[in-house]
Amino acid sequence: MTERMEQLHLEDLAIGQRFTSGTYVMEAARIKEFAAEFDPQPFHIDESAAEASVFKGLAASGWHTAAVAMRLLATGGLPLANGIVGVGGEIAWPRPTRPGDILHLETEIVEITPSRSKPNRGIVTVRATMFNQDGDVVFVLTPKLLVPKRPKC
Amino acid sequence: MTERMEQLHLEDLAIGQRFTSGTYVMEAARIKEFAAEFDPQPFHIDESAAEASVFKGLAASGWHTAAVAMRLLATGGLPLANGIVGVGGEIAWPRPTRPGDILHLETEIVEITPSRSKPNRGIVTVRATMFNQDGDVVFVLTPKLLVPKRPKC
């Protein structure tokens, strides 16, 4: 990957452009720890309770899955100049993630809107789709990101 | 709070009903640790880099803020029977959260849709608004939640 690829500015992006992230393995211990801190519900912490729940087995907090998606974007999945700064967007969790899942993201540029008030940047909407090792979609994130133009020399 | 209040089913909810969470204090060390694991970008990890960034000071990852919102919902902020299970929704981060911020959520029921295919439950849309100690809105989460009806005896 070239330095240029690692630092994409607004001018470098085009609708339909796609990026693929690395992978991340979900681990039972981390699922339980994350949930104990941020989403202390039995189906994210205890296997027996999870079996009896709507999840029918231990499932990561959706916010743990979301945080892993962010890690995959920030570590090569979306090589934007000045980093990945979102103002908001949409999220969906079609299926839970589970211990042993191997996750990756495929991300596509879906909209590019240059800012009217701030000519040195724009808002870029991307759709990041997270798959597990079976090809199931487990998370879809459609954030609006602030992306700078290349600095004028 | 009564037992009934702690276990609200679909029949107990009404549009406009409101709930207030407890509070959560953001700490610089946890902001940096969370970011190192899930959002390793300089403005979430290093004060100097953060000062020079669009955030103009250390800012928590938006996903850390989101995870704290989930904690506040799950620990009394939204007392739903069978817990809080979201299928997706919208998120917005109007401002960053920062070390020392004292956060709380105010949550309102905005839509209730009984399931056609599964008569024992429905989808409830809530709007959870997170405020800091100055009354600034720092996060808005509008999830669609699965909420069961009260079991028939």
Side-chain angles (χ1 to χ4, degrees):
Chain A
M1 196 179 280
T2 66
E3 180 62 26
R4 170 79 180 283
M5 275 298 288
E6 290 174 352
Q7 289 290 325
L8 295 175
H9 291 84
L10 193 66
E11 301 93 322
D12 305 315
L13 301 178
I15 290 170
Q17 202 170 355
R18 297 174 69 92
F19 305 89
T20 299
S21 77
T23 59
Y24 187 96
V25 180
M26 297 300 281
E27 294 179 1
R30 191 70 194 96
I31 286 174
K32 295 177 189 180
E33 287 167 5
F34 186 100
E37 181 174 5
F38 294 118
D39 195 347
Q41 305 194 87
F43 38 70
H44 298 319
I45 292 174
D46 178 83
E47 274 88 353
S48 302
E51 286 294 342
S53 78
V54 66
F55 293 111
K56 302 193 190 313
L58 192 71
S61 168
W63 301 104
H64 189 180
T65 303
V68 168
M70 183 66 225
R71 179 182 172 88
L72 290 171
L73 288 175
T75 56
L78 188 59
L80 296 181
N82 293 22
I84 298 169
V85 177
V87 298
E90 293 177 17
I91 50 179
W93 294 283
R95 290 163 184 258
T97 63
R98 300 185 185 277
D101 275 2
I102 304 168
L103 306 174
H104 82 280
L105 280 183
E106 299 188 8
T107 300
E108 182 172 356
I109 308 290
V110 294
E111 192 174 338
I112 300 172
T113 308
S115 172
R116 290 180 191 180
S117 59
K118 300 195 176 173
N120 63 340
R121 70 187 196 190
I123 298 280
V124 175
T125 304
V126 306
R127 183 176 52 241
T129 306
M130 181 182 260
F131 297 89
N132 65 19
Q133 67 284 357
D134 298 322
D136 300 320
V137 175
V138 292
F139 184 55
V140 184
L141 170 65
T142 316
K144 292 180 188 300
L145 305 173
L146 289 180
V147 181
K149 289 189 183 175
R150 202 173 294 115
K152 298 247 165 64
C153 298
Chain B
M1 196 181 280
T2 65
E3 179 62 26
R4 170 79 180 283
M5 275 298 289
E6 288 174 354
Q7 289 291 325
L8 295 176
H9 291 84
L10 194 65
E11 301 92 322
D12 304 316
L13 302 177
I15 290 170
Q17 201 170 356
R18 297 175 69 92
F19 304 88
T20 299
S21 77
T23 59
Y24 187 96
V25 180
M26 296 300 282
E27 294 179 2
R30 191 69 195 97
I31 286 173
K32 295 177 190 180
E33 287 167 5
F34 186 100
E37 182 174 5
F38 293 117
D39 195 348
Q41 304 195 84
F43 38 71
H44 298 319
I45 292 173
D46 178 82
E47 275 88 351
S48 302
E51 286 293 342
S53 79
V54 66
F55 293 110
K56 303 194 189 313
L58 192 70
S61 168
W63 301 104
H64 189 181
T65 302
V68 168
M70 183 65 224
R71 180 183 172 86
L72 290 171
L73 288 175
T75 56
L78 188 59
L80 296 181
N82 293 22
I84 298 168
V85 177
V87 297
E90 294 178 16
I91 50 179
W93 295 282
R95 290 164 184 258
T97 63
R98 299 184 184 278
D101 275 2
I102 304 168
L103 306 174
H104 82 280
L105 280 183
E106 300 188 7
T107 300
E108 183 173 357
I109 308 289
V110 294
E111 193 175 336
I112 300 172
T113 307
S115 171
R116 291 181 190 179
S117 58
K118 300 194 176 172
N120 62 340
R121 70 187 196 192
I123 297 280
V124 175
T125 304
V126 307
R127 184 175 51 240
T129 306
M130 181 182 261
F131 297 89
N132 66 17
Q133 67 284 357
D134 298 321
D136 300 320
V137 175
V138 293
F139 184 56
V140 184
L141 170 64
T142 315
K144 293 180 189 298
L145 306 174
L146 289 180
V147 181
K149 289 189 182 173
R150 201 173 295 114
K152 298 244 165 66
C153 298

